[in-house]
Each structure stands twice: as C-alpha cells, then as structure tokens.
Amino acid sequence: IEINAEDGIEWRQREKIYVARGKARATQGEVTVHADVLTAHYREMPGGSTEIWRLDANGNVRIAAPNQTAYGDNAVYDVGKGLLVLTGKVRLVTETDQISARDSLEYWEKRSFAVARGEATAVRGDRRLAADVLVAHFKKGGDGTSKIHEIEAFDNVLISSPEEIVRAEHGIYDVETGIATLTGSVKITRGANQLNGARARVNLNTGVSLITGGAQGVRGYLAPGQIGKRRSRKDR
C-alpha cells in the first residue's frame, strides 16, 4: 500500500500506525482510498518486514476502483479479510447503477458482494429498488471488470418503474434480464389497478407481471377504463 498526503505523514512507532493528513490517499493495485485523514495500522512480520493490516479513513471518503466509486464520511478497510465498511451518507456508483444507504455499506472484495443497510436504494435509469437491506452481487465481465448482476432485497421491499409499483417482503432482481422475483405480501399497483398475492415474477423490461397466491389465492382491484393503460405522470 502506497500512502501520500499534502500535510505530511506522522509515524507513531509505539502505536504501530501511520497517520496521513490533508487530501490523503492510499493506493493498492487499482484501488485508491481518498480522505481528509488516513490511519494505517501495521504489524511486524518475520524477517524484520512490516505489513499494513488495517486502514481507517475519516472525512470526505472516496474509494475509486475501475468502473465504480464509493463515497462516505468514514471507512474501515480490513486488508486481510478484504472487507471495506463505509458509514455516513454512503453510496456506490457504477457505470449503470447507484446504491445508497442511511447506515452503512459493506463491500466484501474477495466474495464479490456489497451490503447496503438502512433505507437502502438501488437506482438504474428510471427504475428504483428500495428495502431495509440490499445485497448486490458482482461478477466479472469479458473485459475483466466487476459489474452488478443481481440484487437481493430484504424487508419493506419496493420496486418502482414508470409503469408500476411493486411491494413485498423479499425480492431478487436480475439486473441483466430485468426480472424481479418477489415473495411475501406482494402488491402490484399500476394506476388505479392493484393485484395482491404471495409471490410474483415481474419483468421490468417488458412490463409483464405474473402473480400467484398461497392459501389466500390472488386478489385484484381493477378500475374500469384503467386496465392495460400505462400510468400517467399524475398517477406516479
């Protein structure tokens, strides 16, 4: 890890830390951490060498990697675990998606997924997925870069598009196909029409929804003259 700072780097040997201040940045491979203050914790290794095992970032944190950037007020990076935890107005921005959360954003580098907690929201174009917790799974494309391919949503799930609003308790959204599979108290609302059931498969690309019921079956509320119509701006 290479560390730079405009106001200097303080070496505290007894505490085994380096403190970098003033537009500080730490770079490892293709990832760079920017912050007002960076604190690197190191430990001694056999043979007299040292290694940085933890990095704390405080103030205006920005973490830049190929095709994605994360923002927050504070961050802790566990080098060995490959775990980055961001807190305070957190968001993750990729070429096509933006994920934000109130409480925290965890990024598990080695396991290729991120967890957004607290009023979490994922936005792509005019589509929005919100829940108490969102888990975004990444996979590498043909160019070697990681992209979000699936998002799992837990509790108070809401999917909105120009055509409809869907609510449920749990959902799995396939980013590539645009298909969301939802379970638990599912409600699909399109204009004045609403369908209620236990499970649904919603294709946000085609606007086709299939809802099924458990023991209670499927219930529908259909407004005359509204069936099949797209919602107007007033209805959204």
Side-chain angles (χ1 to χ4, degrees):
I1 298 179
E2 179 183 341
I3 301 176
N4 297 275
E6 287 190 357
D7 297 339
I9 299 175
E10 182 181 352
W11 182 13
R12 302 178 186 175
Q13 290 179 295
R14 291 185 178 180
E15 300 173 59
K16 296 183 178 180
I17 61 173
Y18 299 101
V19 181
R21 304 178 188 276
K23 293 184 179 180
R25 64 185 186 277
T27 302
Q28 183 183 42
E30 295 182 311
V31 179
T32 300
V33 180
H34 302 261
D36 294 340
V37 179
L38 289 174
T39 303
H41 302 255
Y42 69 89
R43 55 192 168 201
E44 297 175 354
M45 303 296 292
S49 63
T50 62
E51 72 170 3
I52 294 175
W53 64 274
R54 171 175 160 165
L55 187 67
D56 298 342
N58 301 102
N60 298 306
V61 177
R62 176 170 57 91
I63 300 163
N67 299 312
Q68 58 193 39
T69 305
Y71 302 86
D73 293 336
N74 303 287
V76 176
Y77 178 50
D78 188 311
V79 179
K81 293 181 180 179
L83 170 61
L84 171 70
V85 180
L86 276 161
T87 55
K89 298 179 182 178
V90 298
R91 59 192 175 101
L92 175 66
V93 180
T94 72
E95 293 179 336
T96 56
D97 306 280
Q98 178 169 302
I99 298 176
S100 59
R102 180 195 62 207
D103 297 335
S104 65
L105 178 67
E106 305 167 13
Y107 179 62
W108 295 78
E109 181 182 7
K110 296 180 180 179
R111 299 168 65 181
S112 298
F113 71 87
V115 183
R117 302 181 187 277
E119 297 178 3
T121 303
V123 177
R124 170 176 283 196
D126 56 7
R127 303 170 187 174
R128 179 174 175 267
L129 170 61
D132 290 352
V133 177
L134 292 177
V135 180
H137 298 269
F138 296 80
K139 73 175 182 179
K140 287 189 176 182
D143 57 358
T145 59
S146 295
K147 297 181 180 180
I148 298 174
H149 76 97
E150 182 181 272
I151 301 177
E152 191 168 7
F154 299 88
D155 300 321
N156 297 310
V157 178
L158 183 146
I159 297 176
S160 62
S161 71
E163 287 75 33
E164 60 193 358
I165 295 175
V166 185
R167 292 179 172 84
E169 295 174 1
H170 176 261
I172 298 177
Y173 175 52
D174 188 313
V175 174
E176 297 175 354
T177 64
I179 295 175
T181 302
L182 303 120
T183 56
S185 303
V186 180
K187 294 182 180 180
I188 300 177
T189 303
R190 179 173 293 193
N193 303 311
Q194 180 175 300
L195 294 174
N196 300 335
R199 183 180 179 89
R201 185 175 184 270
V202 179
N203 191 321
L204 296 175
N205 289 340
T206 64
V208 177
S209 302
L210 173 64
I211 187 167
T212 58
Q216 301 297 323
V218 178
R219 300 185 308 279
Y221 304 91
L222 305 178
Q226 291 291 318
I227 299 175
K229 288 186 178 181
R230 297 166 64 93
R231 290 185 295 155
S232 67
R233 292 187 179 273
K234 293 181 179 180
D235 293 324
R236 294 177 193 174

